[in-house]
Amino acid sequence: MKKFLRKGIPLLLGVILALGAVTSASAAYEDFTDVKGHWAQETLRQAYNDGILQGYDAQTMAPDRSITTAQAVTILCRVLHVSGQGDTSAFDIPTGAWYANDVAKAVYAGLLDESAVGTLEKPITRGQAFCLFGRAFQVSTADPDLSVLDQFPDAAYLTGETQRAAASLVESGVVNGSMGLLQADRSLTRAEFATILYRLADTYTTGSGYTGKTGTGTVLSGNVSLTGVTAGNLWLSHSASNVSLTDTSAAQVVVRSDKLNSFTLSGTGSIDKLVLAARTGDVDLTLPETYTLGTLTVGEGTGQVYFAGSASQVEVTGSDRTISIDSSIDCLTVSGENNTIVLKQGCTVGEIIIRGAGNTVKLNAKADTLLLAGPDNTVSGSGRVGAVTLNTNRYTLTVAKGTVTKWTNYDIAGVQVSLTAPDTLAAGAELKATANLTVPQEDVGKLCTASWYINGELMSQSSVILGKDTPVSAITPNYTHSFRQDGTVQFVLTYTNSDGDSDSQEASAPIWMETFSDLGLADAEITVSLPQHLAAGQTLTASAQVSTPEVGKVCTGTWYVDGREVASGAYTLGSGPAILTYNYDYYYGMPETSTVSYRLTYTTQDGRNQQVSGESTISLENFPDNGIARAAASLSAPTTLEAGKTLEVTAQLKYPEAGKVCTGTWYVDGKQAAVQTIVLGTDVPKLTYQYTYTENMSLTSEIKFVLTYTTQDGRSQQVAASTKVTLKNYDYFYYHNIDPQQVLNTVTSGYAGNYTLAWAQNHDYSKEIKTAWVNLKGYSSKTQYLVWVNLTYQRVNIFTGSQGNWTLVRTCLCGSGKASTPTIRGVFTTSYKQTAWDYGSYYCGPIVRFNGSSGYAFHSRLEYWPMNSDRYYDARIGFPVSHGCLRMYNDDIWYMYNNIPNGTTVVVY
């Protein structure tokens, strides 16, 4: 299967724009944090691998995020290879919108009509998606089994195309519902979109490369010529102009050609369902006796269809089609409108069901039964119908007929309505009234509209199923300065039958409604005045005139330009017009019109929030050259740069108009590093830079790129981007010309002196050797300090920094443990501190202990009391002399006591 999908990948490359906000081509599916355990995990994996979906960002796929109508039709048009473009003038698509061409294709293919105006950038609902998939794949049947929707309590409120599409998709197993509901009004998620698409068609390949597939669906592109193939569900895309099926059997074949030049079925074969839904092209479908059809469906499109052969039933779901049937069939079902259908003499039809409107059926054949369930249909001809059932009052029936059963249950005249409502309603309270319905059995199940009115003003509408729902209002009066307190609450129940005729029943009740002392912005109206036209670069001056009965109330006024807040401030009712001065941001492709609105908000004395707004539109003149306005730049640079390596940084530019000649300037740590001439769309800005390394250089470097341009009218423009790079410096040995192995060989552990202070004072390792040794050894510390006790030269060396980056800050002379009581060797940490150890007449202190509570410590020499007397009991230092501790001069031990935190690493070596 994968080889078919991979062949289909190129046609879907553009889809990433629709369903992936951030390109993450390098990410593996397993890297996404929100797909593991998701109910659609494997479908999402396939959609990602096939290029249908991309990551929403580098870490997530956002499977539960909604998609818009524009995104959905973009994918479907590319899946079906739609190339033509329809008229989208009614959609008011913004100039430069990424989806403009794909929406035009969707209109051309019949996926969108003017009912979708205003929805392109909004999340598509599940119900809208059902209709969209139904149109794209022509899966909606003419007379679906609506009982399959009974399992979903909320499906009872569906009507028309949404109901038929939902029933068809549920019946075919494509849609299963969510949490026991169909949730037609909820936004469709990315995961749900991919799931429906893959349940319909999981393979995309060419007609010439297809060798057969059973089970799930396949979309074929290009001309299709199949011989001896067994297939499942096939969709022949808009790019299929010539179709030939020889000795081929399939569960379903749907022809969606843009222009169908030829279509033939020959040899021996069978197709359970054949759907002819080419946009243009006549079809003469004369089948050999060895080829049979289960159902022939004439779907959307144009072109005449002639059928002669073996089929069980014919469906007409399209509109404005001309169909001639020269075969005996079990059933003819028509759900489309304004079709002309001829049934030839000598044929027989079991039943004819017409649910669409405005169709003309010329019945020259014999039919057992006829159901007219749509308005304005005509059935004439030289044939005869045995029994006619009428579910319409608007029809023309001139064909010979037997029994006729007329429509009786087409209104709700038998429904009785009474109203239960409170006598009085407090100001601001919600009115809860109940409409009591008495419903005759024959009216149970009818879908009606419940409307609630207060003083003749419509307050709310909702759907009601007779015999199931009890309408209860939840409305709040609209309090105005002319509000009538002695009012009326009214309930109107409206039923619209299949003819489109409405019948209503109503009831009303009187009610006294209290009002508010502070009505604030009630009855206020705002008129925004703008010049008709604004020249490029000219400052806009707009005014808002507020008409209101109130004077003196202080509100908040906010100005918006094209939906974006641009100014706000206090406004006092009755104080005259509010004024806005505004300068537009001009850019290539900006809209030619702009909407300016002014909104007032006010909080009444009783705490109610009110708002009123007005708006107006202005025509804008644009500059002929907007240069790099609204351009953006980002930098691609290494996160870390190894010492001595050349830095390479690339600037990615997003711009509205190619061809502009700009200047690109690079800065490294605030200093200009390079200047380049950049032609947008041709040149890619790139910096190559070599750092000058020093021992104490900053290890963080800022790279900045500035793109500048001067427009034809002299305006200077600038776009900038910056990033930071972490630099790895050469090590200590590089700068001090030290051989690491020599350092390790030089440092020893045993005492090397002659047990005199003078020897210690004249012998020690160099600062460079000490620093190199602790960094080479890789010692770490939980604090910013590290202590190395060097027994060879009787030194306590104190470092600051971190592992691999220690710097020597202090070297102290010491006296370690004598041979009989040596100082412990190893790596330890300081544990706690004391002021002194008291030995009666003398002491040592302060104390910095290490190795837990073992008794080992840094301390002063042994000194007579009082503390710091400079009279010593034992002043020896500079050679092994102690009982195991480390004797130090007073200044040194006090430094350690005051600065070295507990937990600092101590190395004794």
Side-chain angles (χ1 to χ4, degrees):
M1 180 173 70
K2 286 298 179 184
K3 66 180 181 180
F4 291 123
L5 289 164
R6 285 301 171 196
K7 290 181 180 178
I9 293 305
L11 74 91
L12 299 174
L13 289 179
V15 174
I16 61 175
L17 173 65
L19 290 183
V22 177
T23 301
S24 55
S26 61
Y29 176 79
E30 289 74 13
D31 294 336
F32 297 123
T33 60
D34 56 355
V35 294
K36 186 175 182 180
H38 193 276
W39 64 267
Q41 178 176 341
E42 293 308 313
T43 299
L44 292 168
R45 181 193 303 276
Q46 186 175 0
Y48 180 72
N49 291 337
D50 294 341
I52 295 287
L53 293 179
Q54 273 213 332
Y56 193 75
D57 55 35
Q59 290 81 37
T60 65
M61 201 170 183
D64 297 321
R65 188 181 180 91
S66 60
I67 66 170
T68 66
T69 300
Q71 292 169 341
V73 298
T74 295
I75 291 181
L76 293 177
C77 285
R78 297 181 187 185
V79 164
L80 295 176
H81 287 266
V82 180
S83 58
Q85 296 194 354
D87 181 10
T88 60
S89 57
F91 287 83
D92 194 24
I93 297 175
T95 302
W98 66 265
Y99 53 77
N101 288 337
D102 291 300
V103 170
K105 292 178 182 179
V107 172
Y108 181 82
L111 305 188
L112 294 180
D113 54 30
E114 292 186 7
S115 65
V117 171
T119 69
L120 298 179
E121 296 185 21
K122 296 179 180 179
I124 190 171
T125 68
R126 286 167 55 86
Q128 291 167 340
F130 296 160
C131 295
L132 197 58
F133 277 106
R135 296 170 196 167
F137 289 90
Q138 294 288 291
V139 295
S140 297
T141 58
D143 194 24
D145 180 9
L146 299 182
S147 66
V148 299
L149 299 179
D150 292 345
Q151 59 185 303
F152 308 111
D154 58 338
Y157 300 94
L158 300 180
T159 59
E161 182 185 11
T162 305
Q163 184 186 49
R164 292 193 301 274
S168 299
L169 291 168
V170 170
E171 187 176 8
S172 61
V174 174
V175 170
N176 299 325
S178 178
M179 296 184 292
L181 299 172
L182 206 53
Q183 299 185 353
D185 294 330
R186 175 174 64 76
S187 297
L188 186 79
T189 68
R190 287 157 56 88
E192 290 170 337
F193 181 92
T195 297
I196 293 175
L197 180 62
Y198 274 90
R199 286 176 180 172
L200 286 167
D202 64 347
T203 305
Y204 305 88
T205 187
T206 61
S208 60
Y210 182 70
T211 58
K213 185 176 188 293
T214 59
T216 50
T218 302
V219 176
L220 301 181
S221 60
N223 292 330
V224 177
S225 180
L226 304 180
T227 301
V229 171
T230 300
N233 296 326
L234 294 180
W235 280 271
L236 313 187
S237 74
H238 268 234
S239 60
S241 297
N242 300 290
V243 179
S244 174
L245 305 181
T246 302
D247 297 329
T248 294
S249 296
Q252 178 175 254
V253 175
V254 180
V255 181
R256 296 293 282 127
S257 306
D258 183 3
K259 183 177 182 181
L260 186 60
N261 295 326
S262 64
F263 181 86
T264 58
L265 300 178
S266 60
T268 300
S270 65
I271 298 175
D272 294 341
K273 183 175 183 179
L274 172 64
V275 181
L276 299 177
R279 190 175 184 277
T280 61
D282 297 341
V283 176
D284 183 347
L285 187 60
T286 301
L287 298 181
E289 293 182 357
T290 54
Y291 220 115
T292 60
L293 298 180
T295 299
L296 170 63
T297 299
V298 180
E300 295 295 336
T302 61
Q304 299 183 13
V305 175
Y306 172 84
F307 172 67
S310 175
S312 297
Q313 59 181 345
V314 175
E315 294 184 342
V316 182
T317 59
S319 297
D320 301 301
R321 305 300 302 265
T322 299
I323 303 125
S324 181
I325 302 173
D326 194 4
S327 298
S328 295
I329 56 177
D330 295 334
C331 181
L332 168 65
T333 307
V334 183
S335 63
E337 298 181 351
N338 303 319
N339 296 288
T340 299
I341 305 166
V342 179
L343 292 117
K344 296 286 188 177
Q345 186 175 2
C347 301
T348 60
V349 183
E351 61 177 335
I352 300 175
I353 301 171
I354 303 179
R355 298 193 181 277
N359 297 285
T360 298
V361 177
K362 295 182 179 180
L363 180 62
N364 298 323
K366 292 182 179 180
D368 295 336
T369 63
L370 168 64
L371 170 62
L372 286 177
D376 304 320
N377 292 294
T378 298
V379 181
S380 62
S382 60
R384 178 180 174 81
V385 178
V388 177
T389 300
L390 298 174
N391 283 353
T392 176
N393 289 323
R394 304 208 308 261
Y395 61 91
T396 300
L397 184 62
T398 62
V399 72
K401 52 195 172 292
T403 62
V404 177
T405 303
K406 292 194 173 183
W407 196 20
T408 57
N409 189 25
Y410 51 81
D411 56 23
I412 55 171
V415 177
Q416 298 178 3
V417 181
S418 64
L419 202 59
T420 302
D423 297 328
T424 303
L425 185 69
E430 187 176 65
L431 172 59
K432 290 189 176 295
T434 302
N436 307 298
L437 307 180
T438 303
V439 182
Q441 185 59 40
E442 61 268 21
D443 291 327
V444 171
K446 288 182 176 177
L447 182 62
C448 302
T449 299
S451 303
W452 291 94
Y453 297 82
I454 294 179
N455 293 342
E457 180 184 0
L458 178 63
M459 305 302 294
S460 72
Q461 281 187 328
S462 61
S463 297
V464 172
I465 298 175
L466 296 184
K468 177 182 178 181
D469 302 326
T470 299
V472 177
S473 70
I475 54 179
T476 303
N478 182 19
Y479 297 95
T480 65
H481 291 83
S482 59
F483 181 68
R484 183 162 57 90
Q485 293 180 259
D486 186 7
T488 302
V489 56
Q490 181 186 29
F491 172 79
V492 178
L493 183 71
T494 304
Y495 171 67
T496 302
N497 60 32
S498 56
D499 277 355
D501 299 326
S502 297
D503 183 39
S504 298
Q505 299 293 329
E506 61 183 76
S508 61
I511 186 172
W512 175 263
M513 294 171 286
E514 297 177 356
T515 188
F516 295 98
S517 59
D518 180 7
L519 291 173
L521 292 175
D523 302 310
E525 294 181 354
I526 297 177
T527 303
V528 175
S529 299
L530 305 173
Q532 291 184 347
H533 180 79
L534 193 69
Q538 182 180 352
T539 298
L540 169 68
T541 300
S543 66
Q545 184 67 47
V546 181
S547 174
T548 173
E550 299 281 355
V551 175
K553 297 190 183 300
V554 179
C555 311
T556 298
T558 306
W559 286 97
Y560 297 87
V561 174
D562 297 324
R564 183 174 61 89
E565 181 180 331
V566 296
S568 182
Y571 176 82
T572 303
L573 297 182
S575 62
I579 303 297
L580 169 71
T581 56
Y582 179 75
N583 291 305
Y584 281 91
D585 175 23
Y586 290 86
Y587 57 95
Y588 176 79
M590 70 181 293
E592 296 178 356
T593 60
S594 175
T595 299
V596 179
S597 60
Y598 184 66
R599 185 179 69 187
L600 282 180
T601 57
Y602 176 72
T603 302
T604 63
Q605 296 173 7
D606 50 278
R608 290 173 298 122
N609 294 319
Q610 298 176 314
Q611 70 175 38
V612 63
S613 61
E615 65 178 37
S616 187
T617 302
I618 186 173
S619 172
L620 300 177
E621 177 188 354
N622 202 351
F623 288 104
D625 178 14
N626 277 306
I628 58 174
R630 297 214 170 180
S634 61
L635 301 185
S636 177
T639 304
T640 302
L641 187 69
E642 296 293 332
K645 295 293 184 181
T646 299
L647 174 68
E648 293 185 353
V649 184
T650 302
Q652 287 80 37
L653 303 178
K654 294 182 179 180
Y655 43 85
E657 188 177 11
K660 300 295 182 184
V661 180
C662 309
T663 299
T665 305
W666 292 93
Y667 297 88
V668 177
D669 297 326
K671 296 181 179 180
Q672 180 176 304
V675 178
Q676 303 164 342
T677 298
I678 305 296
V679 179
L680 297 183
T682 301
D683 301 324
V684 177
K686 184 176 181 180
L687 171 68
T688 301
Y689 184 78
Q690 190 71 46
Y691 284 93
T692 299
Y693 287 82
T694 60
E695 183 175 7
N696 297 315
M697 68 184 292
S698 172
L699 299 182
T700 300
S701 179
E702 182 180 42
I703 314 301
K704 185 176 182 180
F705 175 76
V706 179
L707 185 73
T708 56
Y709 178 78
T710 301
T711 64
Q712 295 173 9
D713 52 286
R715 290 172 295 129
S716 296
Q717 298 174 319
Q718 185 179 100
V719 174
S722 63
T723 188
K724 291 186 178 181
V725 177
T726 298
L727 304 178
K728 286 194 174 182
N729 202 352
Y730 292 107
D731 56 25
Y732 186 86
F733 314 105
Y734 173 85
Y735 288 107
H736 295 273
N737 196 25
I738 295 175
D739 180 4
Q741 189 58 51
Q742 183 180 354
V743 171
L744 295 176
N745 293 338
T746 299
V747 176
T748 60
S749 179
Y751 176 62
N754 61 4
Y755 290 89
T756 65
L757 174 60
W759 187 92
Q761 290 172 332
N762 292 314
H763 292 80
D764 193 9
Y765 296 122
S766 68
K767 175 182 178 181
E768 291 74 18
I769 293 295
K770 294 178 181 181
T771 303
W773 187 81
V774 294
N775 285 309
L776 276 173
K777 297 295 286 185
Y779 294 120
S780 62
S781 179
K782 294 180 180 179
T783 74
Q784 63 177 335
Y785 289 93
L786 173 75
V787 178
W788 170 29
V789 179
N790 172 233
L791 299 177
T792 300
Y793 293 123
Q794 298 289 290
R795 293 295 193 282
V796 174
N797 302 298
I798 301 174
F799 301 84
T800 61
S802 59
Q803 184 178 18
N805 292 288
W806 296 112
T807 300
L808 183 66
V809 295
R810 192 179 184 97
T811 294
C812 312
L813 201 64
C814 71
S816 64
K818 56 189 176 184
S820 59
T821 55
T823 301
I824 190 172
R825 302 187 185 200
V827 179
F828 316 98
T829 58
T830 56
S831 49
Y832 60 95
K833 302 175 182 179
Q834 295 173 256
T835 305
W837 283 340
D838 187 355
Y839 296 106
S841 61
Y842 64 92
Y843 73 95
C844 62
I847 311 296
V848 178
R849 303 188 71 166
F850 65 93
N851 193 25
S853 58
S854 62
Y856 291 98
F858 300 90
H859 58 69
S860 68
R861 293 172 292 171
L862 305 183
E863 191 170 358
Y864 288 110
W865 293 103
M867 185 170 279
N868 299 325
S869 64
D870 284 334
R871 296 183 302 109
Y872 293 93
Y873 174 80
D874 187 349
R876 291 177 296 170
I877 195 170
F879 53 87
V881 65
S882 75
H883 289 87
C885 291
L886 296 158
R887 296 182 182 180
M888 302 177 67
Y889 287 125
N890 284 357
D891 287 347
D892 293 331
I893 187 57
W894 276 110
Y895 175 87
M896 290 190 67
Y897 184 84
N898 291 326
N899 292 282
I900 304 301
N902 290 336
T904 296
T905 296
V906 175
V907 178
V908 180
Y909 182 84

